[in-house]
Amino acid sequence: MDLLADLNPQQRIAIQHGRGPALVLAGAGSGKTRVITYRIAHLIRNGACRPEHILAVTFTNKAAGEMRERVQALMGLSRTSEPLISTFHSFCVRLLRREIHRLGYRNDFSIYDTDDQRRLLKQILKDKGRNDKELSPREVLGRISFAKNHNVGPGQFAAQFPSPSAEDIGELYELYDARLRRGNALDFDDILLKAVALLDRFQEQRDYYSDWYRYILVDEYQDTNRPQYDLLRLLTSRHQNLFVVGDEDQSIYKFRGADIQNILRFEQDFPGARVIKLEQNYRSTQNILKLATSVVENNTERKGKVLWTENHAGDVITCRRSATARSEAAWVSRCIRDFLDEEPDYRIAILYRANFLSRNFEEALINGSIAYCVVGSVAFFGRMEIKDLLAYLRIIFNPEDDIALLRIINTPPRGIGATTIDSLTRQALEKGVPLLQLVREASSDATLGGRACNALRRFLELIDGWQARRDNATIGELLGSVAESIEYKKMLEKDETAEEAANRMENIEELIRAADESQDKGETVFEFLDRASLSSELDTLDPNARVSLMTLHSAKGLEFDVVFLAGLEEGLFPHSQSSNSAADLEEERRLCYVGITRARRKLFLTWTPFRRNFGPSSDSASMRSRFLDEMPPELLDEWSEGRDYADDDEEDPFAVVEDKEEKPVWKPSAGAAPAPQPKSIAELRAYLKQVQPAAKSGDAAHGATRSLKSGMRVRHAQFGDGIILSRQKVGNDFKLIVTFSRVGRKTLIERYAKLEAL
DNA sequence: GATTTACGCCTTTTT
DNA sequence: GGCGTAAATC
């Protein structure tokens, strides 16, 4: 296969770039991922280095997975080694699992997610006798994270970020860091910081890793923050072979510390850098592209690219003002129904600024019996039951992990109450020893009441039992034993409905299977736990779903035939909390740009003056988003409810119209059990799962292909007929090795391959 | 120590 | 309106 054949001249230059730094400014839909993957393949083919000396970094697991997939497809799988394609965080965790002992941590450290962080901080506030009224844990954690992302330690906090509460926060920051360290734990920010510190302080390691990774490629460079930038500098200090791809117009993570200056300043930071602009868009119609450009041109913080396309003009963009949020959703749902009827292969997305907007759309889609997939609802590893069991696993393997211990010490309730726990944590803090050790002392020394003491002793026996077995039993066996011994099922059935409990038990079985598979692949417990910690909500995206719902942030990097961009109202988009400065507004505008450019063929913009927030019929009506007014009127086809689709009477377009077919009736589809009126989004989804099993995200959605087994005969759209040699679970996917009679042996990912069983 | 009720806050967003 | 935490009660 000729790698250069299907590339345009700029792409070709990028791919053939030799040594030294390079910046590829890649507009939306200009073949960014293709450039990275082809370049990796090109480096390997031309013998620039062996595959394992190439490191490609992305931000999400999903992006990394896709890239890995595409590189494998380009290279075939006969290779003995592979390039490392990884997220920043998982790369750093990998490094730290080998090296962090040099920084005084043990290599079996725990990773604290946002929930663990919150628990820890609440603990600290409590120990200090502070109520968290004026300083909420959320706020404090946000400021700490901000400081960490700017390489500001606790000592410098107050001086660097002066504010009325700066002293307080600096102090909390210091305590927080101390407690993390004592718990042998890192938070998400630490993962990057410690990796940077390690490479910075230990020249031998820095030389080793920068020699090993001779070519480094970075995707979405505009979203890098300071520690990520530092990491790249350290890793490329000797060879300068840094190849970054990004688009300053799609920089949307400033709030997480991303520094758009990293991309704007690249040429100063890396003198002699080659700069390549990719300006041809292969994705969208001319009109969609023009609209996107007209919005983002209002920004000043950009290098300026002129995107163009050979695609046809396409339709003008429909902009619809709905009477209410509910009728907005109903209208979108009806449009989607029409699209699905006419174009069953279309991939459609509803994009919005904030997650809570999904609810109306979910209801409307269910009403219309349309299967959909919500990205970023509750991720598998974020579920309560999974986190509970993993906390047991953490305490078994890292006995210093106080937060894990606190999570499960009385879950399920075993008679270790708040007073006992308080007393133990206070003593642990005074002595500076892990909580588990205090539990041990207290359970033998009967200073506490007899009942609590017994409960502690029984708990400790369980933990000791598992710790004794931990090196002989498999992780799956341990987890199974935990779930069994603590009678988790009983607890679930006590506080929840039978279905919810059954659902959670299924998840636990899934977790045990995942643990077994992980171990079969030769992974350590920590690799398994790391994957759980680092897997994100985005990973719930189901590429087979025809209708996807997600936030604009989650949508970056994806594309759809039809996009509905909903909730274009002042205060919501741009969000009121991000409208304080010109820079904030520019970021919101970039977000709008990202949303528009997800669309291949059709784009719909919707807004409503009456979106009921919470509370009693709040305030005044919303105004349409300023972004709509930045768009050229000739590109927009504007409608107001009452004069369009529903074919209502023509009346005052600004009157509030109660849409007839949009009464809050819950219509179950035929044959289903009597439908409850769901009270919460969780119930709604649970109900959906019953009614439309095919619409569920995750495994069930692959129902059609799930039955594939090795030995089966299958048909592939391009490769023709073949036989499955092996089928192996890799992450959430299945990797298939298939021998095709026409093209020989291929490795495929089941989700993408769309194999037809014969 | 566990269960029930009430109150307050939330809804911005990769790992 | 819904959810989680905190007080109030069993």
Side-chain angles (χ1 to χ4, degrees):
Chain A
M1 171 182 182
D2 182 1
L3 285 175
L4 301 176
D6 41 12
L7 298 172
N8 69 34
Q10 285 73 34
Q11 291 175 330
R12 215 169 290 163
I13 292 170
I15 282 151
Q16 293 177 297
H17 171 78
R19 293 170 177 276
L23 165 66
V24 178
L25 291 167
S30 65
K32 187 164 55 83
T33 314
R34 165 178 280 208
V35 163
I36 296 194
T37 51
Y38 275 49
R39 176 169 163 83
I40 294 172
H42 188 260
L43 285 170
I44 297 173
R45 283 219 191 152
N46 287 30
C49 65
R50 295 220 309 273
E52 66 265 35
H53 295 307
I54 296 174
L55 169 66
V57 210
T58 65
F59 280 83
T60 63
N61 297 305
K62 193 180 139 303
E66 267 167 24
M67 201 173 281
R68 216 172 288 136
E69 177 56 24
R70 286 170 71 165
V71 170
Q72 281 178 3
L74 288 174
M75 301 304 302
L77 248 200
S78 48
R79 304 264 154 186
T80 48
S81 71
E82 284 179 37
L84 180 58
I85 301 178
S86 166
T87 65
F88 273 102
H89 285 82
S90 46
F91 172 77
C92 290
V93 168
R94 221 177 133 109
L95 181 82
L96 294 173
R97 287 272 176 230
R98 289 171 59 165
E99 310 283 355
I100 201 173
H101 56 275
R102 297 174 207 279
L103 295 175
Y105 289 79
R106 295 206 321 265
N107 285 1
D108 57 5
F109 60 87
S110 290
I111 298 171
Y112 280 8
D113 68 8
T114 36
D115 190 52
D116 299 323
Q117 288 177 287
R118 223 190 59 240
R119 284 160 188 266
L120 175 54
L121 197 73
K122 291 191 81 147
Q123 193 71 38
I124 292 170
L125 287 167
K126 199 165 158 200
D127 293 341
K128 291 199 67 190
R130 301 263 299 258
N131 67 359
D132 39 27
K133 285 284 144 53
E134 72 255 52
L135 275 181
S136 72
R138 258 172 68 89
E139 153 109 30
V140 176
L141 284 170
R143 308 264 300 262
I144 292 175
S145 174
F146 186 84
K148 287 190 175 186
N149 283 320
H150 291 80
N151 269 356
V152 172
Q156 311 129 295
F157 185 87
Q160 286 288 318
F161 305 115
S163 83
S165 51
E167 295 281 337
D168 276 354
I169 292 176
E171 200 185 323
L172 291 170
Y173 183 4
E174 186 155 16
L175 286 168
Y176 169 80
D177 258 7
R179 296 275 297 259
L180 274 177
R181 180 174 275 269
R182 225 196 45 223
N184 195 33
L186 305 181
D187 65 18
F188 281 137
D189 298 318
D190 284 342
I191 290 172
L192 298 171
L193 289 176
K194 299 303 172 193
V196 168
L198 193 120
L199 293 177
D200 188 43
R201 277 176 45 192
F202 297 93
Q203 190 179 347
E204 196 182 321
Q205 274 63 40
R206 176 165 74 244
D207 290 348
Y208 174 79
Y209 286 101
S210 58
D211 269 348
W212 183 266
Y213 295 110
R214 223 161 289 164
Y215 285 91
I216 298 181
L217 300 91
V218 185
D219 192 16
E220 308 278 16
Y221 187 71
Q222 75 281 355
D223 288 329
T224 49
N225 62 17
R226 179 64 195 272
Q228 285 157 345
Y229 170 83
D230 291 341
L231 181 78
L232 294 172
R233 283 226 90 129
L234 288 163
L235 283 175
T236 59
S237 51
R238 304 214 326 174
H239 51 67
Q240 298 280 306
N241 289 330
L242 179 62
F243 182 90
V244 307
V245 180
D247 178 1
E248 78 274 15
D249 292 333
Q250 295 189 61
S251 163
I252 54 174
Y253 284 109
K254 186 180 146 202
F255 69 93
R256 285 292 299 129
D259 186 355
I260 194 172
Q261 294 303 326
N262 284 348
I263 192 166
L264 296 178
R265 266 199 339 248
F266 187 85
E267 293 143 273
Q268 286 100 288
D269 290 343
F270 295 91
R274 180 191 295 220
V275 179
I276 300 149
K277 285 189 185 183
L278 302 183
E279 299 181 301
Q280 181 173 3
N281 172 293
Y282 295 95
R283 180 185 295 153
S284 309
T285 66
Q286 281 177 29
N287 281 335
I288 289 170
L289 215 52
K290 267 191 223 162
L291 194 83
T293 306
S294 68
V295 171
V296 82
E297 268 174 358
N298 290 288
N299 280 354
T300 57
E301 288 276 298
R302 57 194 298 255
K303 293 201 155 207
K305 292 180 299 297
V306 186
L307 274 183
W308 59 278
T309 183
E310 286 174 354
N311 295 344
H312 54 81
D315 296 334
V316 291
I317 284 84
T318 302
C319 173
R320 193 212 196 223
R321 171 193 168 284
S322 302
T324 65
R326 191 184 284 275
S327 70
E328 173 190 47
W331 181 77
V332 168
S333 166
R334 284 196 306 263
C335 289
I336 289 177
R337 162 57 55 213
D338 289 350
F339 274 122
L340 290 177
D341 289 345
E342 282 169 39
E343 303 280 356
D345 290 334
Y346 270 15
R347 293 287 182 272
I348 301 170
I350 306 174
L351 308 180
Y352 34 78
R353 178 65 233 267
N355 267 316
F356 76 100
L357 285 174
S358 76
R359 178 167 224 245
N360 280 324
F361 293 104
E362 289 194 59
E363 282 179 348
L365 289 169
I366 292 172
N367 253 326
S369 300
I370 298 169
Y372 66 89
C373 167
V374 184
V375 178
S377 42
V378 193
F380 182 74
F381 287 108
R383 296 198 173 142
M384 173 196 79
E385 64 276 20
I386 301 301
K387 295 195 68 172
D388 282 346
L389 281 198
L390 290 180
Y392 277 95
L393 205 54
R394 274 161 58 182
I395 197 69
I396 293 168
F397 284 89
N398 176 11
E400 295 176 14
D401 192 336
D402 289 359
I403 292 297
L405 179 57
L406 283 172
R407 183 181 178 103
I408 46 96
I409 192 166
N410 202 32
T411 307
R414 52 171 69 86
I416 305 175
T419 33
T420 311
I421 295 172
D422 274 359
S423 145
L424 289 174
T425 44
R426 195 162 310 118
Q427 292 178 59
L429 193 65
E430 278 163 19
K431 298 188 183 171
V433 298
L435 187 57
L436 190 63
Q437 192 176 319
L438 248 293
V439 172
R440 193 172 302 278
E441 287 170 19
S443 66
S444 50
D445 171 47
T447 47
L448 288 142
R451 215 172 29 168
C453 197
N454 274 331
L456 284 174
R457 198 171 302 126
R458 275 197 305 274
F459 174 67
L460 203 60
E461 277 166 16
L462 286 171
I463 300 287
D464 282 344
W466 291 315
Q467 278 182 350
R469 287 171 54 200
R470 70 180 206 189
D471 297 321
N472 300 319
T474 68
I475 308 304
E477 283 165 4
L478 275 176
L479 285 170
S481 161
V482 169
E484 182 88 12
S485 315
I486 64 178
E487 297 183 308
Y488 200 75
K489 191 173 173 198
K490 218 185 230 172
M491 178 189 100
L492 291 175
E493 281 167 349
K494 198 151 144 249
D495 1 298
E496 296 182 321
T497 66
E499 296 108 280
E500 279 174 317
N503 201 354
R504 289 189 196 275
M505 288 311 292
E506 275 175 34
N507 287 333
I508 288 174
E509 281 164 29
E510 178 68 34
L511 178 73
I512 292 173
R513 269 197 298 279
D516 284 337
E517 276 158 17
S518 157
Q519 211 156 32
D520 288 348
K521 278 191 288 180
E523 288 181 356
T524 65
V525 205
F526 296 105
E527 283 172 306
F528 177 64
L529 284 171
D530 290 345
R531 205 145 38 74
S533 309
L534 299 176
S535 84
S536 86
E537 310 192 324
L538 221 99
D539 302 337
T540 59
L541 181 75
D542 175 2
N544 290 322
R546 287 204 276 277
V547 181
S548 305
L549 276 64
M550 69 190 85
T551 63
L552 288 157
H553 282 87
S554 305
K556 194 176 65 161
L558 306 176
E559 59 178 24
F560 304 90
D561 297 296
V562 183
V563 167
F564 292 87
L565 192 47
L568 281 157
E569 295 132 42
E570 282 295 300
L572 186 57
F573 191 32
H575 197 276
S576 52
Q577 284 179 32
S578 309
S579 308
N580 301 320
S581 68
D584 281 352
L585 264 175
E586 293 212 348
E587 178 137 321
E588 293 286 299
R589 196 174 278 117
R590 290 192 289 268
L591 202 48
C592 185
Y593 174 80
V594 167
I596 294 170
T597 52
R598 297 311 95 196
R600 277 197 284 257
R601 306 161 193 271
K602 302 257 190 197
L603 177 63
F604 297 87
L605 311 170
T606 69
W607 70 285
T608 174
F610 294 99
R611 188 174 303 282
R612 255 192 65 190
N613 292 335
F614 34 94
S617 66
S618 66
D619 45 34
S620 52
S622 321
M623 302 205 303
R624 56 193 250 141
S625 167
R626 69 190 74 187
F627 299 146
L628 288 175
D629 297 321
E630 292 172 359
M631 298 170 183
E634 69 271 18
L635 287 179
L636 293 181
D637 184 17
E638 297 221 34
W639 292 88
S640 280
E641 181 170 350
R643 291 191 290 150
D644 59 5
Y645 212 100
D647 205 19
D648 287 337
D649 296 351
E650 202 155 320
E651 51 189 303
D652 176 9
F654 290 95
V656 182
V657 186
E658 263 312 319
D659 216 321
K660 281 181 228 97
E661 64 271 70
E662 287 152 14
K663 279 186 222 99
V665 209
W666 189 256
K667 277 186 293 186
S669 57
Q677 182 80 39
K679 285 191 294 291
S680 68
I681 201 72
E683 263 182 57
L684 187 72
R685 286 178 181 142
Y687 171 68
L688 172 74
K689 199 183 152 191
Q690 281 180 349
V691 181
Q692 302 177 320
K696 182 186 160 271
S697 64
D699 268 3
H702 311 148
T705 53
R706 208 220 283 261
S707 52
L708 290 182
K709 289 195 182 73
S710 66
M712 261 169 96
R713 288 173 42 77
V714 290
R715 177 167 296 158
H716 185 277
Q718 278 147 38
F719 300 142
D721 294 0
I723 290 174
I724 301 178
L725 292 183
S726 81
R727 180 171 183 270
Q728 196 188 1
K729 182 140 181 158
V730 178
N732 291 326
D733 300 323
F734 287 94
K735 188 159 90 178
L736 300 172
I737 298 177
V738 184
T739 316
F740 292 99
S741 47
R742 229 176 44 228
V743 291
R745 183 178 295 193
K746 293 277 177 193
T747 302
L748 303 164
I749 296 297
E750 194 174 284
R751 264 165 52 182
Y752 301 109
K754 299 212 189 88
L755 288 176
E756 189 190 338
L758 295 179

